[in-house]
Amino acid sequence: MITSLSSKAALRLRVAAASTAGLALFALAGCSSSGTGAPSTAAAGDDVAVTLIIKTQGTSFFQEMADGATAAADELGVNLTVAAGKVDGDEDTQIQAIENAISRGDQGILITPNGPTVFDAIQKARDAGLYVIALDTVPDPADSVDITFATDNFLAGQLVGQWTAQKLDGGDAVIALLDLFDDKVLTVDYDRDQGFLDGLGIDVGDPAKNGDEAPTGTYTGGKGGSYTIVGNLATQGTEEGGRTATETLLSKNPDINVIYGINEPASYGGYQAMQAAGKTDGLITVSIDGSCDGAQYVQDGILQATAQQYPLKMAELGVQAIYDLVTTGDAPKPEDGKEFFNTGVQLITNDPMPGVPSIDVTEGQEVCF
């Protein structure tokens, strides 16, 4: 683990660690022979070069990730290069950054991939001996990279769904699902969506596919009740996308009373659409991310709950893992039974529900991004 961090960073690490027992057991094992090559072991003190490639610089989540990587690199003496897509979904810029890392002779790459075409370049980097760690989102298949440090997004969705089921108190649920993309499939998209429905107690069918569940039926979470899924619409993870999607879904069913959003901008856009339609009384709006804006939305009653993740933790552990691999030959491994290393999740709400672990907004704001 990285030492001598700022007090705020250290607090973030403690809160993240508290959300999963396994986090305190960050295990290192001898580098396995994956057939993709790995950086040669360097003597302690030799230069270690790492490239962090984030989706975009336009959100506090990815800025926090860059800050975490920078702090860890400064502490360890790692040469860090930070690159970003121009927008979320910009695969070409990420591919160029991977090629640049190979040309520079970097030992490792940390990346939040913007889409499936990036993985050919990732394989090229691995074949060249770079160790590649995905952050935030587990690729499909997971072995497209050497390891992933990420939120358990299915668990994040489950927590939000379990809370929602309790909050409904046996009432009917008329649900708008505000997802991420409709032109590409990412695990973060379906894991969060399907986790939310599973937490409500709705049979999700194929857990790796959004929208195949029965549109009406009975949810079994909390006291149980009837549900209607009005639809799944893509938002691109933006406020405007969330607002437009919700307006479209309202035109199909004006009785929406539950909004799930892939992230807080999408959920906030959904709330704005409901507010403009005069339909916020009794509305349950939930989300995932745990940004400072999102925590404030909970404080203001715009969101009732959001699941907080820890991008700073992901990046710090990623830099540390590549440093350890290069200097000692030890490679990280996922926790038993998982395809990734879980960096923690906590539900933020000022309205705790029985049986659903959560922290309040004050606690969430201490470690938000």
Side-chain angles (χ1 to χ4, degrees):
M1 299 291 289
I2 299 161
T3 58
S4 303
L5 298 174
S6 67
S7 59
K8 186 175 183 181
L11 180 58
R12 292 175 196 266
L13 297 189
R14 290 198 299 274
V15 172
S19 64
T20 173
L23 202 56
L25 301 175
F26 181 49
L28 296 175
C31 185
S32 63
S33 55
S34 63
T36 60
S40 58
T41 303
D46 282 4
D47 286 346
V48 178
V50 175
T51 292
L52 169 68
I53 307 171
I54 52 179
K55 288 187 175 181
T56 174
Q57 293 179 326
T59 69
S60 59
F61 180 90
F62 292 113
Q63 185 57 57
E64 180 85 343
M65 191 172 280
D67 290 347
T70 299
D74 287 347
E75 179 70 26
L76 295 167
V78 168
N79 294 322
L80 179 70
T81 300
V82 179
K86 296 174 183 176
V87 294
D88 196 341
D90 174 13
E91 295 165 288
D92 291 342
T93 303
Q94 288 198 324
I95 290 169
Q96 184 61 58
I98 293 169
E99 292 175 351
N100 291 343
I102 296 170
S103 297
R104 274 194 304 271
D106 288 359
Q107 286 92 359
I109 291 173
L110 310 174
I111 186 167
T112 56
N114 262 332
T117 65
V118 175
F119 288 101
D120 285 343
I122 287 175
Q123 187 58 51
K124 181 180 177 182
R126 296 176 75 193
D127 290 342
L130 281 74
Y131 194 81
V132 180
I133 298 176
L135 304 178
D136 180 45
T137 302
V138 181
D140 186 9
D143 62 4
S144 300
V145 295
D146 289 292
I147 194 171
T148 300
F149 292 147
T151 305
D152 187 333
N153 283 300
F154 192 85
L155 175 59
Q158 276 184 320
L159 288 170
V160 172
Q162 289 165 2
W163 183 93
T164 302
Q166 293 284 355
K167 182 67 175 176
L168 284 164
D169 197 32
D172 292 347
V174 184
I175 306 165
L177 297 171
L178 308 183
D179 294 323
L180 187 55
F181 295 129
D182 55 10
D183 60 345
K184 61 186 74 175
V185 178
L186 294 180
T187 58
V188 66
D189 200 357
Y190 62 71
D191 277 349
R192 292 183 180 188
D193 175 294
Q194 302 289 276
F196 171 71
L197 294 176
D198 183 80
L200 273 172
I202 294 174
D203 184 358
V204 299
D206 182 351
K209 182 178 181 181
N210 287 345
D212 68 339
E213 53 279 336
T216 61
T218 301
Y219 68 89
T220 60
K223 294 181 179 179
S226 297
Y227 77 84
T228 298
I229 296 174
V230 181
N232 302 65
L233 287 181
T235 66
Q236 313 302 312
T238 68
E239 184 179 315
E240 180 180 359
R243 184 169 57 249
T244 300
T246 303
E247 290 169 349
T248 300
L249 294 173
L250 273 173
S251 70
K252 294 176 60 178
N253 189 326
D255 297 325
I256 291 169
N257 66 346
V258 175
I259 291 178
Y260 151 82
I262 179 72
N263 63 6
E264 288 149 359
S267 294
Y268 180 51
Y271 176 86
Q272 288 178 311
M274 297 295 288
Q275 185 178 48
K279 294 182 177 294
T280 57
D281 287 348
L283 177 66
I284 297 173
T285 307
V286 293
S287 194
I288 298 171
D289 260 353
S291 69
C292 294
D293 285 345
Q296 189 62 47
Y297 292 155
V298 176
Q299 183 68 31
D300 295 341
I302 295 168
L303 302 180
Q304 284 71 57
T306 189
Q308 186 172 65
Q309 52 183 341
Y310 302 99
L312 181 142
K313 180 78 174 178
M314 299 172 196
E316 288 177 339
L317 286 175
V319 171
Q320 181 77 60
I322 293 174
Y323 176 84
D324 289 345
L325 177 61
V326 174
T327 59
T328 71
D330 289 332
K333 66 177 182 180
E335 297 171 56
D336 290 343
K338 294 185 182 294
E339 294 183 316
F340 64 97
F341 186 86
N342 180 14
T343 52
V345 61
Q346 297 249 46
L347 188 73
I348 300 175
T349 183
N350 278 340
D351 187 11
M353 292 291 149
V356 185
S358 64
I359 59 176
D360 63 23
V361 169
T362 299
E363 292 174 280
Q365 288 176 327
E366 290 178 341
V367 291
C368 65
F369 50 88

